Each structure stands twice: as structure tokens, then as C-alpha cells.
Amino acid sequence: MVPLKQGKWRAGRILLLMVMLLVTGLAGFGCVTGLRPVGWSGGAVSDGTLLVGSKEGRLVSVNLADESRQWSESLKAASQAGGLFGCAPAMAGGGCDACGAGASGVAIYGTPAMSGDLVYIGGYNGKIYAYTSSSLAVRWIHPREGNLEPIVGGLVVAQGRVYFGGSDGKVYALDAATGDKLWEFETGDKIWSTPAVSGDTLLIGSFDKKLYALNMADGSKIWEFMTEGAIISTPLVHNGTVYIGSFDRYMYAVSAVDGSLRWQFMGENWFWANPVVYDSTIYAACLDDRVYALQADTGDKVAEFELGSPVSSSPVVVNSSIILASRKGVIYAIDTGRNELRQLADIEEEIYGPLCASEGVVYIHTPDLTLHRINATTGAVLRPISLESKD
């Protein structure tokens, strides 16, 4: 392997260490003082309402018109520790709390998914929750008894089902109305990837270095594509091609029909963030501090942009601009017409979770229980919204 540049390694060392701790599960460490999962849920917007999982372990609903908020009950800790961290203590107060559920609640990493009058979210405690979107009252919890291994990736809802992957390496399909399990498919390692849907096919990556295409009806495997590194980003499907980044430093384009390789492009570090597409160009953010613009059909590099800090936060497309956030908290816009990068704002908070946009405003959830807002055109920093509950 080509060694990483010293400067890139320094810039990304905190993020990479965090990832390695998650991957290894702190095996053999038992209770590690001061370490626990904290979550980095992104936001999802529907009908003027933004829903996000907070660091307190709650689903939060924000009315974007008047900034009124609702909070769900705190996600409940699993009955016993397990999963990636084993027993992970709270940041203060001593003692071990199960699956990262300390004073700040159960960690939520995945972005909420909405369908009809329900909103769904997964917790690091190994449970899936369905809430009524108008009141945030719990409709159902899966599993009803016990818990799965920690859930890090997000959910997708399609064809009356909820699909997700878990740290036990399994892909699950639940009945969206009842939470009953319909099928499961086992991969070879942990899953942090959020699934994507293409027609009747579910696409999801695994730490076993494979991208899987599954039949959504019964979970049977249609094809698999092997890389040389773990896959945690969400697959992007565009014009019959699936685009996916890997921890082997490559961005891949494969056929959505049979998984055959169409092209691959190598960066200088892991591809963590989800790729996005605009006007037949793929924009792939990398932990090497760069964003690459690649021709969708050939993989040829159109341009690259230096951000000065690793990018793990998935970008969004707003009008004809690609909006990105570096780990250090700087927000950028790429003008797709001129392939020019400009800085929009600096919120001076570390950013790990995916961005969200609605009506020309970008929403950024940071670990300090704050929802930051940036005008995607002017870069104006709007008043932030606190996600901290009242109790």
C-alpha cells in the first residue's frame, strides 16, 4: 500500500483512532474510563419538519417555521452491555452503563427515516423504534424483548418494510407497520452502512469488504462485489450504476444489474462519506482532506478540491452547488458549473454526521446538542437551534 502523507495522517488521526476503537470493539479492555459512543445522527426533513436523533438519546422534531420542538422519551438502554464497545461508561459519574447509555442517553448514529405517519430510528442499544410523527409517541419497538447488537447505520423504508444492518453482520427486514421481522441475511462482519434501494433490490456494504445486492422480497443474494476494505458509506445508484467508497482508498462504480466493475478511482485515504451526483459528475469526499469530482461514466477526474481537514460528513446538493463540511467545522460550496470551491462559513465545531438541506438552508448537527443553520447561497450563519430537552 502507498503510505499516507504525514500531514494527512496528522489531520485525520483523531477520526481514524475513533474508528479503530469502534472497529475493534475495545476487545479485552472491559470498562474504559471516559470512552463511550456519542452518536452523530443526521437530520431528515419532511413537510417543514426536521427530525434528528440527539446526543441525549432522543428523537427530536423541529418545526422549521417557528422553531418549536418536540422530544421523544429517551431511548432505553439494553439490558446488558455488548457489541462494539463492550461495557462503555458515561463521561462522568463512574460506573458502567449498557451500550453507551449514560447521562447523555443511548447513542444514535443513523438518520431517521420517515414513511406515512411514522418515523423510524435505530439506537446503539440494538433496538429499532417506530414513532408517530405528530406526537413522537412510540408505535412499536423491535425486538420487543432483549436487543440486537448495536445499530450504527441508518434505516431505509420501502415497500412497507424497514431495512437496516446491524453490528452482528446481519441485514434485517421488518414489517413497517408492526415491527415484526420478515427476514434476515448474514454477511461476514459488522454493518455500519445505511442501505439504498434500486427498484426491487437492496444495496448495502459490510465490514467484510463486500457490497451486497439483495432481493427485497425475501433477502436472497442477487450478487456481491468484493473490495479490499470495509464499506460503511451508503451506496449511490445513478443510471444503472452503483457508486460506493471503501476503506481500501478506492471509489468504485459497479453495474446495478450484476455487480461487475465499471471503474475504480484511488484517493489517498478512506472514503467514508456518501458520494453524491450532479449533472453526470460524482462528488466523492475523502478522509485525505479532498473532494474528488469524477466523470460518472468513466471515473476520470474532473477536478479535486482541498479542504484542509478530513471529510466524514456526507455532503448535500443544493440547487447546483455541492455543500460540504470538513471535520474542523468549515462549510464549503462547490460551484458545479465552474468547478470552483468557496468557503461559506466556519462554525468552529467538529462535524462527523451527514448534512441536511431544505429550502436553501443547510442543517448541521454537532455533538454539543446544537442544530446549526447556514444559508447555502450567501453563507450567512443563522441562529442555531438547541436540541437539549427540557427534562
Side-chain angles (χ1 to χ4, degrees), residues 1 19 23 189-190 193 204-212 225-233 244-252 264 269-272:
M1 292 179 64
V19 172
V23 173
D189 208 335
K190 300 177 180 68
S193 175
I204 193 167
S206 170
F207 268 88
D208 69 4
K209 307 178 183 180
K210 295 178 181 179
L211 172 66
Y212 292 90
F225 176 78
M226 185 73 180
T227 73
E228 296 299 321
I231 299 173
I232 70 165
S233 65
I244 192 72
S246 171
F247 280 12
D248 63 6
R249 297 182 290 130
Y250 280 95
M251 176 64 57
Y252 294 92
Q264 62 189 59
N269 206 323
W270 302 345
F271 284 98
W272 175 301

Side-chain angles (χ1 to χ4, degrees), residues 115-300:
S115 180
D117 66 340
L118 294 181
V119 55
Y120 308 85
I121 199 164
Y124 197 81
N125 58 352
K127 289 184 178 289
I128 301 294
Y129 298 79
Y131 297 92
T132 301
S133 57
S134 60
S135 64
L136 299 191
V138 175
R139 180 73 62 87
W140 55 255
I141 301 174
H142 178 89
R144 295 178 178 86
E145 302 292 335
N147 57 283
L148 305 175
E149 289 297 304
I151 298 164
V152 176
L155 321 172
V156 65
V157 185
Q159 301 180 3
R161 299 176 178 184
V162 178
Y163 300 92
F164 66 97
S167 296
D168 57 3
K170 295 180 180 179
V171 184
Y172 294 89
L174 309 180
D175 185 292
T178 65
D180 295 332
K181 186 175 76 172
L182 301 176
W183 57 255
E184 65 180 55
F185 173 85
E186 187 166 6
T187 72
D189 208 335
K190 300 177 180 68
I191 298 175
W192 290 4
S193 175
T194 299
V197 171
S198 177
D200 295 324
T201 301
L202 189 77
L203 298 150
I204 193 167
S206 170
F207 268 88
D208 69 4
K209 307 178 183 180
K210 295 178 181 179
L211 172 66
Y212 292 90
L214 307 178
N215 185 309
M216 293 175 65
D218 58 14
S220 59
K221 184 174 69 176
I222 301 172
W223 53 258
E224 63 181 47
F225 176 78
M226 185 73 180
T227 73
E228 296 299 321
I231 299 173
I232 70 165
S233 65
T234 302
L236 167 67
V237 185
H238 175 69
N239 288 343
T241 300
V242 184
Y243 301 91
I244 192 72
S246 171
F247 280 12
D248 63 6
R249 297 182 290 130
Y250 280 95
M251 176 64 57
Y252 294 92
V254 302
S255 167
V257 175
D258 60 14
S260 57
L261 178 66
R262 292 186 171 168
W263 56 257
Q264 62 189 59
F265 173 86
M266 187 176 73
E268 293 186 21
N269 206 323
W270 302 345
F271 284 98
W272 175 301
N274 305 336
V276 295
V277 61
Y278 182 82
D279 196 21
S280 298
T281 299
I282 304 298
Y283 293 87
C286 186
L287 294 187
D288 65 6
D289 303 5
R290 296 183 176 94
V291 178
Y292 298 96
L294 310 172
Q295 290 185 4
D297 55 349
T298 65
D300 293 337

Side-chain angles (χ1 to χ4, degrees), residues 21-22 25-39 77-107 109 124-125 150:
L21 290 173
L22 284 166
L26 299 182
F29 282 80
C31 287
V32 183
T33 302
L35 271 176
R36 62 169 181 79
V38 295
S79 58
Q80 52 183 303
L84 302 182
F85 271 88
C87 189
M91 293 295 286
C96 267
D97 298 298
C99 288
S104 296
V106 171
Y109 289 93
Y124 197 81
N125 58 352

